[in-house]
Amino acid sequence: MKIKITIIGKVHNVGYRSFLLDLADSLLIERFDARNVTIEGKQAVVVLVEGRDEMLNRFVETIKKEKPENAIVEEIRVEEFKGFVRPIDSYRQSLRVNQLNKIVQVGLQMLKKQDLMLEKQDQMIQKQDVTIKEIK
């Protein structure tokens, strides 16, 4: 059995794909994929899963009851899917690379802000030095 699940709401940057991957792993689902997309201006996660009917039914039941802490789910659509679903290990590797890229980008932004703060700090020290000389 293969299904496509579309989860709409505040679902980006809240750990939704990791949450879904953990759930799929716990149910021994062997084929899985999840993508952040935008549908009609709204955040969405599109999930493709393939496996035994029993496990997929449990997967759907669980995502209807549970979600990541900061997610806000407005709608969940479940439909049959006929296309290819990649192996879960392939997805896991892809997600790792995606998450590492996000970490690198955040790190680079932090370094820029740190450099700016150090520059401002140096300016303040120079102003303090001038003020101290004027007082003497």
Side-chain angles (χ1 to χ4, degrees), residues 74-92:
E74 296 173 12
E75 180 182 357
I76 297 175
R77 301 176 193 159
V78 180
E79 57 192 286
E80 285 187 37
F81 182 71
K82 302 235 187 259
F84 176 78
V85 182
R86 71 171 150 176
I88 197 168
D89 288 336
S90 172
Y91 177 78
R92 184 179 293 108

Side-chain angles (χ1 to χ4, degrees), residues 56-83:
L56 294 187
N57 290 333
R58 287 177 56 192
F59 185 83
V60 171
E61 287 173 21
T62 303
I63 65 170
K64 286 182 177 180
K65 295 176 188 172
E66 299 177 21
K67 61 180 177 45
E69 182 178 346
N70 295 317
I72 299 170
V73 176
E74 296 173 12
E75 180 182 357
I76 297 175
R77 301 176 193 159
V78 180
E79 57 192 286
E80 285 187 37
F81 182 71
K82 302 235 187 259

Side-chain angles (χ1 to χ4, degrees), residues 1-13:
M1 178 174 167
K2 298 180 193 181
I3 57 174
K4 175 182 174 183
I5 305 162
T6 305
I7 306 165
I8 300 170
K10 184 185 179 298
V11 294
H12 294 178
N13 300 313

Side-chain angles (χ1 to χ4, degrees), residues 6-125:
T6 305
I7 306 165
I8 300 170
K10 184 185 179 298
V11 294
H12 294 178
N13 300 313
V14 294
Y16 223 120
R17 292 177 295 157
S18 294
F19 165 80
L20 294 166
L21 176 61
D22 285 344
L23 176 58
D25 263 341
S26 73
L27 295 172
L28 304 175
I29 292 172
E30 296 180 6
R31 294 190 168 273
F32 175 90
D33 197 352
R35 306 277 175 169
N36 284 342
V37 299
T38 302
I39 298 173
E40 297 175 2
K42 292 186 175 186
Q43 294 179 8
V45 177
V46 174
V47 188
L48 306 175
V49 285
E50 178 180 348
R52 295 189 333 241
D53 292 2
E54 176 188 333
M55 294 307 170
L56 294 187
N57 290 333
R58 287 177 56 192
F59 185 83
V60 171
E61 287 173 21
T62 303
I63 65 170
K64 286 182 177 180
K65 295 176 188 172
E66 299 177 21
K67 61 180 177 45
E69 182 178 346
N70 295 317
I72 299 170
V73 176
E74 296 173 12
E75 180 182 357
I76 297 175
R77 301 176 193 159
V78 180
E79 57 192 286
E80 285 187 37
F81 182 71
K82 302 235 187 259
F84 176 78
V85 182
R86 71 171 150 176
I88 197 168
D89 288 336
S90 172
Y91 177 78
R92 184 179 293 108
Q93 191 73 346
S94 176
L95 184 63
R96 281 187 192 133
V97 170
N98 181 274
Q99 297 301 324
L100 283 173
N101 187 41
K102 283 183 180 182
I103 291 167
V104 167
Q105 296 307 314
V106 168
L108 291 171
Q109 289 175 350
M110 289 174 64
L111 287 174
K112 282 182 184 177
K113 288 182 180 185
Q114 183 181 22
D115 288 345
L116 182 62
M117 286 178 59
L118 288 172
E119 187 178 308
K120 289 184 183 237
Q121 189 177 30
D122 288 344
Q123 291 172 358
M124 289 296 295
I125 290 171

